[in-house]
Amino acid sequence: MIFKKYGTQLFLLAALVVSLVVSLFADQIDDYYMDIALNVGINIILAVSLNLVNGHTGQFSLGHAAFMAVGAYGSAVLTLQAGAPMVSALGGGVFGQSLVFIIALLVGGVFAALLGWMVGVPSLRLRGDYLAIVTLGFNEIVRVVFTNTNADGPFGGALGLKGIEPYTNFFWVFAIAAISVYVVGSMVNSTYGRGFLVVRDDEVAGESMGINTVRYKVTAFVIGAFFAGLAGGLYAHLRTTISAEGFGFLKSVDVVVMVILGGMGSTLGVVIAAVVLTVLNEYLRDFEQYRMIIFSLILIIMMIVRPQGLLPNVVLQRKKNKKTVDPA
Amino acid sequence: MEQFIQQLLNGLFLGAIYALIALGYTMVYGVLRFINFAHGDVFMLGAFAGYYLHKALMPLMGALPAPISAAVILLLAMAICAALGILIEFLAYRPLRSRPRLNVLITAIGVSLFLEYTGQLIFGATQRPFPEVIPKKNIEGLGGLYVSNTQVIVLVTTVALLVALRFIVMKTKMGLAMRALSLNPTAATLMGVNNSVVISFTFGLGSALAAAGGILYASLYPSIEPFMGILPGLKAFVAAVLGGIGNIPGAALGGLIIGITETLVAGYSQDIGIPSGYKDGVAFVILILILLFKPSGLLGKVEREKV
């Protein structure tokens, strides 16, 4: 009974405990595998947060890397410019570092959320492929702006930032991944969250029922962007160097492929796709020139053969099966 | 003032090429209602087709006058890309014809990435110089303005292609079928229009124009690489939206506006204190503004969304 009532909360708690325990034994894990695991976690956050926008709300965004960029730059600039004095002011040590790291991540996340709001507002008037192009445009604008900043300024120009403190560890990555899965999952499954699905399934019908679809679209963008910003902050403090070129259209496509392969609107599917594709990426490292060819073929073949993703949303599927006519 | 007119002229030549690419977007959108994301990569393939054709054919055509061999290369490259465009439509887009538009868009992104990275595998990632078929010469015009003969050729070719396109769309049976299909696909089918043939033709025509755009672009900026199609492709798409997507004169107008704005921003960035790299962001700012304030574009008709 208790599992049924508090299932999702228990999942969150269990995930937090597991990530804490694993991070205590992190020294004994091979660095290479650890690095892959951390990449997996960051990609889970990105894919789950994009899935809220693309999958659940049906607003096709192609600019997720822009939010990641803002989060990465926001948190990295904070720790680079003010990190050391803040850590010592908080008494130094692991506690001070963790606190500063949380603050940095949150600052990056909030900036990303603000950008998400900015992207969400034009999206009120656009849908489908137009929105995709506008978000792609936003992504390019963010990249161009960061690339063309002053090389001596806080953003480091085209060369980007280096020497960022390596604060990211297993606990932070998987704790935030678990929280993002929890937040997105419980939002979508709540009464409130039905609004996201309404926007996806039939916006016009939803509006005529008095549902404020605009608010749902913006909310989805803001929350999706916030988590992408956190992922960006984690990424910056894992890699310790970032540059705007790394947050271009291709990074967004990477995340989109995860969402599509996993099945738009299926949280579990998207998490699995994030894991599989990240690991696959590592295996394909020796065949770097074939990697994107394979990814692009995955996109094309998935759309032709199985547009609902490998692990589609089960509930949605049942509903679809009842209908014989494709509404589109 | 002189500098301003010179910038305007340079923008005009760039804009003409954008217009050429934008036409392909607009035609495909008009007939199929979807954004052919891979159009910019057909543009790239056109430039590479020109490069290889030049390599293969120049020894054979050495005796011919330069303009004729240039025209032969251009027309052959256009034919190759037209065939490629038809092939892409047949393999990737046709199986999705009755699916939601978003699925087709995702496929198109896949096709675009596939062409870019396969191109990188085959052609190599390094930039290569694009050959000069007609030797470049600067012409001094009125009031100290400079125009190169390449720029003049680009403009003349573009105008010729636009006129040819207008003739095809307005005066031929196939053009009539294209217009019918874009107006009402069901009614067109009932009147005996063969959808598949018309769609293939549209893709072929659009791809041929993209190939011409690629070769002309490469003669203005003589360096080609497998990713050269991304930014011009996106900017041309913005041009198509700016003019009103689906509208052929609109695409031409939008191309000119984007080209001129971009050149002006690049030329005056020093004076207004912004980095010249911002020129690549200008098109997207225009895109967002136009979609916010006039989503149907400058020359587009307002379409009521059907429930």
Side-chain angles (χ1 to χ4, degrees):
Chain A
M1 265 341 265
I2 188 166
F3 189 77
K4 206 164 188 185
K5 195 167 176 192
Y6 297 106
T8 49
Q9 283 93 335
L10 281 176
F11 152 78
L12 177 63
L13 196 67
L16 291 177
V17 170
V18 168
S19 46
L20 186 62
V21 170
V22 174
S23 77
L24 290 177
F25 296 101
D27 296 342
Q28 286 157 33
I29 299 170
D30 188 80
D31 278 351
Y32 176 66
Y33 293 114
M34 194 62 183
D35 194 59
I36 297 177
L38 294 179
N39 273 327
V40 165
I42 290 172
N43 281 336
I44 289 176
I45 304 171
L46 287 170
V48 168
S49 57
L50 183 65
N51 196 25
L52 176 66
V53 181
N54 284 16
H56 297 300
T57 319
Q59 303 290 299
F60 196 76
S61 162
L62 267 178
H64 216 49
F67 306 131
M68 195 187 170
V70 172
Y73 271 96
S75 59
V77 167
L78 186 87
T79 52
L80 278 174
Q81 303 287 333
M86 275 169 75
V87 170
S88 54
L90 287 163
V94 176
F95 175 74
Q97 277 179 7
S98 304
L99 209 58
V100 168
F101 187 40
I102 296 176
I103 294 168
L105 286 180
L106 286 177
V107 166
V110 168
F111 275 116
L114 274 175
L115 183 74
W117 179 75
M118 278 169 61
V119 182
V121 170
S123 83
L124 312 180
R125 305 186 55 165
L126 309 170
R127 52 194 73 182
D129 30 16
Y130 275 102
L131 180 64
I133 300 291
V134 165
T135 48
L136 169 61
F138 258 104
N139 198 340
E140 281 298 302
I141 291 172
V142 167
R143 187 184 65 81
V144 166
V145 167
F146 276 126
T147 309
N148 287 293
T149 52
N150 194 338
D152 307 318
F155 299 114
L159 291 176
L161 297 173
K162 51 182 183 295
I164 306 165
E165 291 287 333
Y167 286 143
T168 301
N169 61 22
F170 192 90
F171 174 71
W172 290 121
V173 169
F174 281 89
I176 294 174
I179 291 170
S180 64
V181 171
Y182 173 76
V183 169
V184 170
S186 50
M187 272 194 90
V188 171
N189 289 323
S190 66
T191 321
Y192 178 83
R194 294 290 138 189
F196 296 123
L197 307 184
V198 164
V199 174
R200 177 188 66 190
D201 290 340
D202 199 331
E203 211 176 321
V204 180
E207 255 164 41
S208 63
M209 300 291 287
I211 288 162
N212 187 350
T213 52
V214 165
R215 200 180 63 179
Y216 284 102
K217 285 196 231 175
V218 177
T219 311
F221 262 107
V222 169
I223 293 175
F226 176 74
F227 279 109
L230 294 186
L234 290 169
Y235 179 83
H237 289 86
L238 174 68
R239 286 277 158 268
T240 69
T241 54
I242 51 172
S243 78
E245 291 307 313
F247 301 112
F249 169 56
L250 285 179
K251 182 71 202 168
S252 293
V253 168
D254 273 354
V255 190
V256 167
V257 174
M258 287 170 201
V259 171
I260 288 168
L261 189 69
M264 296 213 243
S266 153
T267 306
L268 181 64
V270 165
V271 170
I272 293 173
V275 177
V276 170
L277 284 179
T278 317
V279 175
L280 187 70
N281 238 339
E282 281 303 320
Y283 275 104
L284 290 179
R285 185 140 289 182
D286 297 337
F287 309 97
E288 187 60 35
Q289 68 269 46
Y290 298 105
R291 187 181 77 95
M292 284 311 291
I293 298 180
I294 294 172
F295 271 34
S296 59
L297 284 176
I298 289 179
L299 272 183
I300 300 171
I301 293 168
M302 283 294 289
M303 278 303 121
I304 293 174
V305 181
R306 209 175 155 78
Q308 69 272 40
L310 288 182
L311 203 76
N313 189 326
V314 182
V315 183
L316 188 75
Q317 219 35 50
R318 247 182 251 142
K319 268 186 215 152
K320 277 256 170 74
N321 287 344
K322 272 186 205 160
K323 281 187 210 159
T324 44
V325 185
D326 194 327
Chain B
M1 193 60 203
E2 222 167 70
Q3 196 208 348
F4 180 74
I5 295 175
Q6 181 73 54
Q7 298 282 5
L8 221 54
L9 264 177
N10 291 345
L12 181 71
F13 300 122
L14 182 63
I17 295 174
Y18 286 157
L20 215 48
I21 316 169
L23 284 168
Y25 276 113
T26 262
M27 283 196 302
V28 168
Y29 190 90
V31 170
L32 272 178
R33 306 268 150 215
F34 99 95
I35 298 166
N36 181 17
F37 215 82
H39 197 64
D41 303 296
V42 176
F43 164 91
M44 174 273 290
L45 289 175
F48 270 95
Y51 176 87
Y52 284 109
L53 282 170
H54 178 264
K55 222 176 187 179
L57 293 183
M58 267 337 248
L60 302 175
M61 299 193 301
L64 293 172
I68 293 180
S69 38
V72 168
I73 290 175
L74 182 74
L75 290 174
L76 275 178
M78 284 170 72
I80 291 172
C81 284
L84 258 167
I86 292 170
L87 185 72
I88 291 170
E89 194 273 331
F90 185 77
L91 291 179
Y93 302 145
R94 188 162 295 187
L96 294 169
R97 196 150 306 155
S98 58
R99 301 271 178 81
R101 266 159 58 187
L102 215 50
N103 288 5
V104 191
L105 177 74
I106 296 167
T107 313
I109 294 171
V111 172
S112 160
L113 293 171
F114 181 77
L115 292 180
E116 282 157 20
Y117 283 89
T118 315
Q120 191 185 41
L121 198 66
I122 296 172
F123 308 136
T126 45
Q127 300 207 334
R128 358 174 139 198
F130 194 76
E132 262 181 28
V133 181
I134 300 167
K136 195 170 172 175
K137 262 189 302 205
N138 274 334
I139 308 162
E140 199 181 336
L142 280 172
L145 295 175
Y146 280 95
V147 176
S148 73
N149 61 343
T150 320
Q151 286 176 319
V152 174
I153 293 166
V154 165
L155 195 66
V156 169
T157 317
T158 308
V159 172
L161 287 171
L162 292 187
V163 171
L165 178 74
R166 188 166 170 82
F167 176 79
I168 291 173
V169 173
M170 301 311 284
K171 302 279 180 207
T172 62
K173 266 211 148 145
M174 193 53 100
L176 183 67
M178 278 166 67
R179 283 182 287 144
L181 205 59
S182 85
L183 207 62
N184 188 336
T186 325
T189 316
L190 290 175
M191 299 313 286
V193 172
N194 186 339
N195 279 9
S196 295
V197 171
V198 177
I199 289 170
S200 292
F201 182 79
T202 311
F203 262 88
L205 200 56
S207 304
L209 291 178
I215 289 180
L216 297 178
Y217 189 84
S219 1
L220 277 189
Y221 306 93
S223 152
I224 58 174
E225 43 104 13
F227 296 96
M228 65 181 274
I230 302 177
L231 268 181
L234 285 172
K235 287 172 188 167
F237 169 74
V238 176
V241 176
L242 177 64
I245 197 154
N247 182 314
I248 289 180
L253 176 70
L256 290 181
I257 295 177
I258 298 283
I260 290 171
T261 324
E262 187 184 314
T263 317
L264 289 182
V265 168
Y268 287 98
S269 58
Q270 296 297 320
D271 302 338
I272 49 177
I274 56 166
S276 64
Y278 276 13
K279 73 178 169 67
D280 287 336
V282 172
F284 299 109
V285 175
I286 293 179
L287 173 70
I288 289 162
L289 291 178
I290 194 84
L291 287 176
L292 275 177
F293 295 109
K294 203 168 184 324
S296 53
L298 294 177
L299 300 185
K301 282 195 258 8
V302 181
E303 244 179 79
R304 296 291 298 274
E305 189 151 339
K306 289 183 195 122
V307 179

